[in-house]
Amino acid sequence: MLEVTTEYIIVGAGLSGLTSAYSLQKNREINFLVLESKEQVGGRIYTTNSGVDLGATWFQSNHKYVIDMINDLNIERFNQYDAGKSILVYNSMEPAHYFEKDTSLPSAYRIAGGSLALINALKNKLDGKIKTNTFVSEIIETKEGVSIKTENTIYKAKKVIITIPPRLTNFISFTPSLPKSILTVMKNTHTWMSNAIKVGLTFRTPFWRQKGLSGTLISQVSVVTELYDHTNASENGFSLMGFVNEGLRDKDPKERKESVLGYLEKYLGSEIQEYLIYEEKDWSKDKNTSMGEIGSKYTSLQYGDNEFQKDYFNRKLLFSGTETSIVNGGYMDGAIYSGIAAVQKILKEDM
């Protein structure tokens, strides 16, 4: 079996993993590799060819780590469109309630070119450092550092940062075994996005705007639980994007699509049937995201458990990722923060 030796290994090429790699590089550390089990990078950031974000989408004005990162990479941000009347459905048997956003409240932001623009910008900074289609099966502590086993290669490094969702570490064997406390926390930490079904519809024109509608529709009790205007930054690509009720997960895709279109037609008009592209992403079916963790999580989720802030394998193994973050866990901001924090920690220890 091939052996490769480097200084640091990062497991996972999602936003946190790529942030860690970029942070190492900015600190003039060049001896590192990122190991990614998928063919593509990005984790739970997924922008389709039509420009629809079916993964992580928005950030807020207080998400300073996202803002600092996109500024550093010269990526444009723009405001989520919310002008006009929005629709709130309390009960599908009753008339909808229409409301307008309080203009004194800040809008959410989106990334020009889709959230994948952030991933691609980071990837372009890391030429030759990312190994895709590389599944980590075992991590072994050694006297010198760690040994990371994949299908065809053993990677030897001084330290490793694990950035994949905590529950997915169940696929990795640790020698010696990690403490029961961290294993329990990993098992019980909900994987952000793992239960979501997202839908995107692309159109020739933003017909909802022409009707004085914002494109926002909120209903926790029916076919589509949330919907938003997803027009691109250049305003030449017109889409709606939102979340499908998880109760439709087991329906035939064609039947689910008909339910979605019929529901949206009721509130937005017959123009909804004139879509150019209809797209869905059920994250529960993504083996690199979900472990059969089905079920809505509308309650406040607890991320950033103290167990994730500790070192393991005698300070040779660290955890990162949005679920581990003590700052804005469950958001892109948390992923970036945790990626930076992990690197700061290992560099400080190595001084």
Side-chain angles (χ1 to χ4, degrees):
M1 185 174 280
L2 179 66
E3 287 193 3
V4 174
T5 300
T6 188
E7 193 85 351
Y8 305 107
I9 289 288
I10 299 165
V11 179
L15 182 54
S16 180
L18 296 179
T19 295
S20 288
Y22 183 52
S23 296
L24 282 171
Q25 195 163 268
K26 290 189 74 174
N27 281 279
R28 297 191 174 90
E29 295 286 346
I30 60 172
N31 293 320
F32 65 86
L33 288 171
V34 183
L35 308 182
E36 170 56 48
S37 62
K38 291 184 180 180
E39 184 177 354
Q40 72 278 2
V41 303
R44 287 160 284 176
I45 290 178
Y46 174 57
T47 306
T48 69
N49 291 335
S50 58
V52 176
D53 283 313
L54 294 182
T57 305
W58 300 278
F59 59 98
Q60 309 289 336
S61 58
N62 64 320
H63 289 180
K64 70 174 297 292
Y65 295 96
V66 176
I67 293 171
D68 288 349
M69 179 68 82
I70 64 174
N71 287 342
D72 184 43
L73 296 170
N74 295 312
I75 297 173
E76 178 189 352
R77 61 172 163 160
F78 66 108
N79 290 87
Q80 168 67 39
Y81 183 85
D82 54 15
K85 292 182 178 180
S86 298
I87 303 169
L88 179 60
V89 181
Y90 292 109
N91 184 330
S92 59
M93 304 301 292
E94 299 291 336
H97 173 70
Y98 293 86
F99 68 97
E100 295 196 24
K101 179 181 177 291
D102 185 344
T103 56
S104 67
L105 297 175
S107 295
Y109 294 109
R110 287 168 48 207
I111 295 172
S115 299
L116 194 62
L118 172 56
I119 295 297
N120 288 336
L122 288 167
K123 178 184 175 183
N124 291 338
K125 298 285 187 180
L126 301 168
D127 185 43
K129 295 294 187 180
I130 304 170
K131 305 294 182 184
T132 56
N133 295 310
T134 304
F135 178 79
V136 172
S137 59
E138 186 175 5
I139 300 178
I140 303 167
E141 181 185 11
T142 66
K143 183 178 180 181
E144 297 78 18
V146 287
S147 179
I148 295 102
K149 288 189 176 182
T150 66
E151 185 177 3
N152 301 311
T153 307
I154 295 176
Y155 294 89
K156 294 186 175 181
K158 185 164 64 174
K159 294 188 176 181
V160 58
I161 303 173
I162 299 176
T163 74
I164 62 175
R167 292 194 67 182
L168 293 186
T169 56
N170 182 63
F171 293 120
I172 301 175
S173 172
F174 294 91
T175 305
S177 178
L178 293 175
K180 185 177 179 180
S181 56
I182 183 66
L183 292 174
T184 300
V185 169
M186 289 191 296
K187 179 181 178 181
N188 294 331
T189 298
H190 172 70
T191 303
W192 170 76
M193 192 64 75
S194 64
N195 55 295
I197 307 172
K198 295 194 75 173
V199 62
L201 299 98
T202 303
F203 301 89
R204 294 188 188 280
T205 63
F207 69 86
W208 55 95
R209 293 188 182 185
Q210 295 158 9
K211 292 183 173 187
L213 299 173
S214 68
T216 299
L217 184 153
I218 305 296
S219 171
Q220 298 295 348
V221 296
S222 199
V223 176
V224 177
T225 57
E226 297 178 46
L227 189 77
Y228 303 96
D229 183 300
H230 202 67
T231 298
N232 64 12
S234 301
E235 298 209 341
N236 58 8
F238 310 107
S239 300
L240 294 167
M241 181 274 289
F243 295 83
V244 176
N245 191 310
E246 295 165 37
L248 276 69
R249 172 167 283 119
D250 295 329
K251 284 198 173 191
D252 177 83
K254 183 179 179 181
E255 185 181 359
R256 183 170 55 244
K257 177 181 176 180
E258 290 174 352
S259 296
V260 168
L261 292 172
Y263 180 77
L264 294 180
E265 182 175 4
K266 179 179 179 180
Y267 296 103
L268 299 179
S270 60
E271 296 93 336
I272 202 75
Q273 301 287 353
E274 299 171 11
Y275 65 89
L276 300 176
I277 302 172
Y278 178 99
E279 302 170 282
E280 283 185 358
K281 173 71 173 177
D282 183 350
W283 285 94
S284 75
K285 305 290 175 59
D286 187 323
K287 68 177 183 179
N288 296 94
T289 300
S290 178
M291 292 180 62
E293 184 183 7
I294 309 301
S296 300
K297 298 287 182 178
Y298 295 122
T299 57
S300 178
L301 296 171
Q302 298 298 314
Y303 291 132
D305 192 282
N306 188 57
E307 292 294 322
F308 293 127
Q309 318 314 317
K310 300 177 182 178
D311 298 314
Y312 298 91
F313 281 9
N314 296 301
R315 298 194 298 179
K316 301 167 189 172
L317 185 153
L318 297 84
F319 287 95
S320 178
T322 191
E323 288 89 358
T324 75
S325 180
I326 60 174
V327 174
N328 292 323
Y331 293 92
M332 288 190 286
D333 201 58
I336 294 173
Y337 168 81
S338 67
I340 294 171
V343 168
Q344 290 177 339
K345 194 170 187 178
I346 62 173
L347 294 181
K348 182 179 180 181
E349 291 172 350
D350 290 347
M351 288 179 63

